[in-house]
Amino acid sequence: MSTSISSLFLATPSTTNTAAAAASAVKPQPVASAGADTVQLTEAQQVYQLYNSGQRVSQIASKLSLTEAAVNSYLNLSATG
């Protein structure tokens, strides 16, 4: 998993009129370019990031092609906790 650092700083306009927001909705464009800075996360870091974003252990295991035991190990969780 790699994350473009420059994509973390994109601002999204805030509008109070939902009709205007829907009318002006534009598909997001990729920010990455040949010179974009990216960060390569280790498997453990990916597990932590997904867990902290609210993903369940089973979802993380499926997404990263890991066993639930491996995810629990990265998170220092017991199999029942």
Side-chain angles (χ1 to χ4, degrees), residues 3-16:
T3 303
S4 174
I5 294 174
S6 57
S7 69
L8 298 175
F9 298 104
L10 290 179
T12 56
S14 61
T15 61
T16 55

Side-chain angles (χ1 to χ4, degrees), residues 32-69:
S33 64
D37 293 329
T38 58
V39 176
Q40 295 292 330
L41 299 177
T42 65
E43 197 169 73
Q45 291 169 325
Q46 291 176 52
V47 168
Y48 282 118
Q49 183 178 26
L50 292 169
Y51 186 76
N52 287 331
S53 70
Q55 298 285 313
R56 293 188 313 259
V57 170
S58 60
Q59 292 171 316
I60 297 168
S62 176
K63 183 171 187 138
L64 298 179
S65 300
L66 299 171
T67 64
E68 288 185 26

